[in-house]
Structure formats: structure tokens, C-alpha cells
Amino acid sequence: MTATVAGNVRVTDVGTEYDTHHIILDFGTMPFPVLEGQSIGIVPPGTDERGKPHFARQYSIASPRNGERPGYNNLSLTIKRVLEDHQGNPVRGVGSNYMCDLKVGDKVQVIGPFGATFLMPNHPKSNIVMICTGTGSAPMRAMTEWRRRLRKSGKFEGGKLMLFFGARTKEELPYFGPLQSLPKDFIDINFAFSRTPHQPKKYVQDAMRERAADLAALLQDPNTFFYVCGLKSMEEGVVLALRDVAQGAGLNWDEIGQRLKKEGRLHLETY
Ligand SMILES: Cc1cc2nc3c(=O)[nH]c(=O)nc-3n(C[C@H](O)[C@H](O)[C@H](O)COP(=O)(O)OP(=O)(O)OC[C@H]3O[C@@H](n4cnc5c(N)ncnc54)[C@H](O)[C@@H]3O)c2cc1C
């Protein structure tokens, strides 16, 4: 399937370690229905060092089901340009650099959509707790925006939305500005910055522990759904923080944790 680039803007401050782009792909008249929490595959042009076509890279959809612009057959992605590997050695990631360098009007090969688990609840009063780092914010942006549109329609009574969003500094947090302007009674936002000069390191799990009382109440509500997305390394810390919150409130974590998994209310997507 071919999509056309309809927009490509940088959404973090300038800095070699965190060049993140918001990219809009348009499908024209081609049907490409998607849901919040799904991802798509991008096939970079050309071949790898063995002369084989590049494998597809997966990117989470950052826009709601009815389009980045409501009523358009388009979607958005949040892509971090990879310039270092996980060990910190310089490298130019094939897919992310291809995507971040695209110009409006360029054509992109797309496959998918993928994902049938990281989907949001659609019943009224369902609570959504979103825990993310970096580009893990993409599916959270999609869910938040869908809820915002539903709320605007006046026909849907949403439950609580709570967001824990971590980055090294606020400069490398995608969508920092727009997030600040969302109404407080719509979404409860908690930032955690691990490398702000002259401030103690704070990770998403620290922010979660600070909000233990509210999280404990949400853990006990069968209408609450948890979504975790971002770096692989955050997964363990976040699950441990949830356990501590539960135990601190005198709840049986083994029981709650099992139930969350069984009922599809705890979703982890890290890469
Ligand atoms: C379900 C899913 C959803 C994803 N959603 C997003 C998303 O919304 N936004 C996004 O930017 N990425 C997302 N990714 C990661 C994305 O698929 C690519 O892995 C990433 O863009 C790197 O691809 P590349 O071709 O640029 O690097 P490659 O050329 O594949 O790799 C170059 C080197 O960089 C290392 N590397 C790979 N990924 C990273 C990374 N993220 N950080 C640092 N080093 C890395 C590799 O180990 C390798 O050594 C997602 C992955 C999955 C599985």
C-alpha cells in the first residue's frame, strides 16, 4: 500500500539525541481503517548490506481512528531519529532516518495495520491510565485525542484519564506544548524528567509512587485499563511500581495483577 506524506514536523527541541518528528501519512482513496493502539509497518526503499529488501519497521499510530484531521483518510506517527544504537555507538537507523527526512508529497510503502491487543476500552466511564516514555507517547496521544473528540461530541461520558510521561528533559518530550493546554478536568498529567539540571532524577515509576493514593483507587476499579509503552527498560520498573502501589494500599497484588492480565486491562508494548 502506498501513502503520501502530508506533513513532517519536528516535535522536540533541537538536539542530536532526541530529534523526534510528527509525520502525517495520507491514504487518499485507499481504505486503511485503523484504531488507536495499532501500529503500521514502513518499508524503507532500497536494500540492506546483503542486497535484500529492508525489513519493515513498525511505528505506533499517534492519531485517532477518524484521522489526524477528523474526517480525513490520514494518520500520524511519532518517530525518533535513531543516531545511536542501544550501547551509544553512532549509527544511522535505516527506517527512522528515512522517515524523518521525508518531504511533503513523498510516497511511502506501508503495511498493516498491526495489533489487536493494545486497544482502548469503548464503554462509558472506563478509566485509562497511560504510562509512557519518549515515542511511547504515540498511542497515548491517539487515545487521548479520541477521548477528547468523543467528549466534544457531548454524547460520551468518559472515565478518568491519567498520564505518566517520562523523558530525560522536557526539551525531548514530544508534544510537550499541546499537552500543557489540555483541560485539567479532562486529563491528569504527571511528567517525570530524569536529567533536568540541578533536580533529582525522576522516572515514571517515581511519579506513579507519588500518586499512589489515586492509582490504588483506580487499581480497584474494574473499569480501569493500564497501558505502558516506550523503552523496553521501563517495563519492569512500572510493573513493580504498580505492585508497590497495590501493596501500600493493603491490596493483594498477585490477585490484582492476574486479574488485570486476564481481563485485558494491563497492556505492555515496549521496544
Ligand atoms: C510495536 C512497535 C511500535 C513501535 N513504535 C515506534 C514509534 O511510535 N516511534 C519510534 O520512533 N519507534 C517505534 N518503534 C521502533 C521502530 O520500529 C524501529 O525499531 C526504530 O525506529 C529503529 O529503526 P531504524 O531502522 O531507524 O534502526 P535500525 O537500522 O533497525 O537499527 C540501527 C541500530 O539502532 C538500534 N536501535 C533500534 N531501535 C532503537 C531505538 N528506538 N533507540 C535506539 N537505538 C535503536 C538497533 O539495535 C541497531 O543497532 C516501534 C517498534 C515496535 C516493535
Side-chain angles (χ1 to χ4, degrees), residues 45-264:
T47 51
D48 63 18
E49 63 278 5
R50 290 171 303 149
K52 295 238 169 75
H54 289 296
F55 64 86
R57 267 65 172 184
Q58 247 177 289
Y59 295 101
S60 304
I61 297 164
S63 50
R65 63 193 77 185
N66 62 344
E68 168 71 11
R69 247 176 105 175
Y72 279 70
N73 190 18
N74 62 13
L75 57 77
S76 62
L77 305 171
T78 313
I79 302 187
K80 186 189 140 191
R81 189 191 285 279
V82 170
L83 294 169
E84 284 181 345
D85 64 15
H86 293 292
Q87 287 73 42
N89 306 310
V91 62
R92 268 188 91 75
V94 173
S96 59
N97 281 277
Y98 162 64
M99 291 302 288
C100 289
D101 289 335
L102 287 170
K103 306 263 177 307
V104 169
D106 284 349
K107 304 282 182 210
V108 179
Q109 284 311 115
V110 176
I111 57 171
F114 303 109
T117 56
F118 207 85
L119 305 179
M120 61 190 291
N122 51 11
H123 60 285
K125 304 219 172 115
S126 44
N127 307 311
I128 304 182
V129 179
M130 300 170 274
I131 304 156
C132 62
T133 54
T135 54
S137 57
M140 314 313 184
R141 179 183 184 272
M143 292 188 204
T144 303
E145 180 58 13
W146 179 238
R147 275 292 179 91
R148 199 184 65 82
R149 288 181 193 174
L150 283 174
R151 177 165 122 137
K152 227 169 101 188
S153 77
K155 294 189 188 120
F156 182 81
E157 198 188 340
K160 288 200 171 65
L161 291 190
M162 199 171 190
L163 173 69
F164 293 92
F165 196 169
R168 287 181 294 192
T169 62
K170 73 173 170 38
E171 288 75 23
E172 56 182 286
L173 196 75
Y175 311 121
F176 185 73
L179 272 176
Q180 305 271 63
S181 56
L182 290 172
K184 297 272 178 290
D185 67 338
F186 168 62
I187 182 166
D188 179 347
I189 301 178
N190 304 265
F191 292 119
F193 301 115
S194 60
R195 283 201 210 157
T196 303
H198 317 299
Q199 271 183 34
K201 285 189 172 164
K202 189 168 171 187
Y203 296 100
V204 277
Q205 49 270 36
D206 301 320
M208 291 169 68
R209 288 195 176 88
E210 282 175 14
R211 299 297 307 274
D214 299 282
L215 279 175
L218 286 165
L219 271 174
Q220 293 172 82
D221 183 341
N223 288 310
T224 305
F225 295 72
F226 292 86
Y227 297 85
V228 183
C229 188
L231 299 173
K232 182 118 246 139
S233 55
M234 74 184 285
E235 211 171 289
E236 195 187 357
V238 165
V239 174
L240 286 177
L242 280 178
R243 185 200 65 186
D244 291 351
V245 163
Q247 289 176 346
L251 306 169
N252 181 339
W253 169 246
D254 290 338
E255 213 176 88
I256 291 189
Q258 296 269 320
R259 199 179 333 131
L260 286 176
K261 282 237 166 88
K262 192 167 135 253
E263 295 173 1

Side-chain angles (χ1 to χ4, degrees), residues 5-19:
V5 179
N8 181 358
V9 292
R10 188 171 185 149
V11 284
T12 54
D13 246 8
V14 177
T16 49
E17 291 178 358
Y18 44 83
D19 182 1

